[in-house]
Amino acid sequence: FISFGHPLFEALIEWINRNYFTKLQKGAVFEDPSGRYDGVLWFFEGEVKDGKGSIAGKRLMAIYDNGKELNGVNPAILWDFVPQDSNEPTKLDITKEKAQEYSIDAVSAYKQEIFKERKRQGEIKRKYGIKSLEYLIGELDVDLAELYEREARGEKVDIAIRNKEERKRQYEETLKTLQKEIEQEISLTISMPKFLGAILVQPTTSKEMISNEEIEMIGMVIAMGYEKTQGREPEDVSKENLGFDIRSKGDLPAQAGGETRYIEVKARKDEGQIALTLNEWFKAKRFKNQYWLYVVANAVKNPILYIINNPTENLKVQEKVEVVRFVVPLEEWKNKGVKV
């Protein structure tokens, strides 16, 4: 299995960057089958370094600009768009200057995330590392004081003294190094975000996959309400494009048998086929039995909730490559879903 960090994979990425980076910066055109996006997605790479000059973190940032406002989105949203074969140059009224400014703020916020975690780790090092070394140095001081007294009385303890003094010196050096390291690790700086490229996203002209936000909101309310009745604590993450809409946690921790559900919510005004995006499908395959599909039928007048566990294993779908969607027929989700 080849993944990030594997020499072959990293070499491939480097080769692609070297040969196609300029083309990447020229941009591309995509279509959004859901009809939600109509604007430009800017991609930047943000980097944070610590006081040692080491990279504390890197983050790929996607910034959506609809010409009126800018919002950070999950870069994985690219999976949900359809590339368009267009060689015609496209003139944009949107420039990247505002996106560049937004990216700086985003990297600054990322730096604060890293700082918070580094500070927590530093407190642990101070609590256990520094205090332990200070205790050991104190113990050696007591031992040395006793040895110096014995030496003054004429006893031959010079070897023991040298050993203790050497050990104390080593501990003191380690203490200084650790103190300096802790300070360096929380001394963070950001560099100017690197512009990687941009894509123009156009809404689809087909109505087949267009989503209705009002209907979807009804579905979210019903799904969240159901989770609460089951004693779980649902969190709405639908705006983060994680491949699921709700992260729902049980009262107990995982090691004690508690459950975390990753829930994708689909709502219909009446009844009909539903579609999963590529990102949702990938997450369903990854989380398996922790992934749930909640379908709310007749959402406006008489909502009925159907729940399906592990949809990639339990549902037969039709893959529609042209709209990067996995379509679940009405009979499939209705017959295999549990009505609650």
Side-chain angles (χ1 to χ4, degrees), residues 72-229:
V73 296
N74 190 324
I77 197 171
L78 197 59
W79 287 111
D80 299 341
F81 300 148
V82 183
Q84 300 298 293
D85 294 326
S86 175
N87 294 320
E88 295 295 324
T90 303
K91 185 177 180 181
L92 297 177
D93 296 326
I94 300 172
T95 60
K96 73 173 181 181
E97 279 69 27
K98 288 185 178 180
Q100 184 89 52
E101 293 175 10
Y102 189 101
S103 71
I104 295 172
D105 292 337
V107 179
S108 297
Y110 178 44
K111 185 185 81 169
Q112 289 304 312
E113 290 179 29
I114 296 175
F115 175 78
K116 186 177 179 181
E117 176 59 21
R118 288 284 181 99
K119 189 176 181 181
R120 185 189 69 82
Q121 293 174 359
E123 291 302 320
I124 293 173
K125 290 179 180 180
R126 286 190 179 94
K127 182 177 180 180
Y128 297 103
I130 289 179
K131 286 190 176 181
S132 295
L133 287 167
E134 288 175 340
Y135 173 79
L136 292 171
I137 291 169
E139 289 289 296
L140 286 170
D141 281 335
V142 172
D143 292 345
L144 283 167
E146 182 182 339
L147 287 170
Y148 291 148
E149 288 180 6
R150 290 170 59 186
E151 185 181 44
R153 292 197 298 266
E155 294 185 37
K156 292 186 66 65
V157 290
D158 53 314
I159 295 177
I161 289 174
R162 282 200 302 272
N163 289 339
K164 295 280 186 181
E165 287 177 338
E166 175 61 21
R167 195 180 307 167
K168 180 185 175 183
R169 184 189 64 78
Q170 291 175 352
Y171 285 160
E172 287 174 336
E173 286 184 0
T174 302
L175 177 61
K176 288 179 181 178
T177 300
L178 183 57
Q179 288 172 328
K180 183 179 179 181
E181 184 180 279
I182 291 171
E183 291 304 314
Q184 287 177 325
E185 286 179 348
I186 61 173
S187 177
L188 303 174
T189 57
I190 67 171
S191 55
M192 178 63 72
K194 179 182 178 183
F195 173 62
L196 299 178
I199 65 168
L200 174 65
V201 185
Q202 300 171 331
T204 182
T205 55
S206 169
K207 294 184 178 181
E208 183 181 6
M209 295 293 168
I210 289 182
S211 57
N212 186 315
E213 291 191 16
E214 185 178 342
I215 299 297
E216 289 180 354
M217 184 59 67
I218 295 173
M220 285 293 294
V221 170
I222 291 171
M224 295 276 285
Y226 172 75
E227 285 301 288
K228 290 175 182 177
T229 65

Side-chain angles (χ1 to χ4, degrees), residues 249-304:
K249 296 182 179 180
D251 292 334
L252 297 174
Q255 57 268 32
E259 179 186 16
T260 297
R261 290 190 176 192
Y262 301 95
I263 303 166
E264 176 59 30
V265 180
K266 300 294 181 183
R268 301 283 305 186
K269 183 179 179 181
D270 38 39
E271 292 183 346
Q273 66 181 21
I274 60 171
L276 294 170
T277 69
L278 200 58
N279 191 24
E280 291 161 0
W281 189 256
F282 285 162
K283 291 299 170 64
K285 289 180 75 69
R286 174 186 171 187
F287 289 119
K288 298 184 182 299
N289 287 327
Q290 286 184 285
Y291 196 96
W292 294 75
L293 176 62
Y294 284 18
V295 182
V296 179
N298 302 305
V300 177
K301 294 182 179 179
N302 183 32
I304 301 173

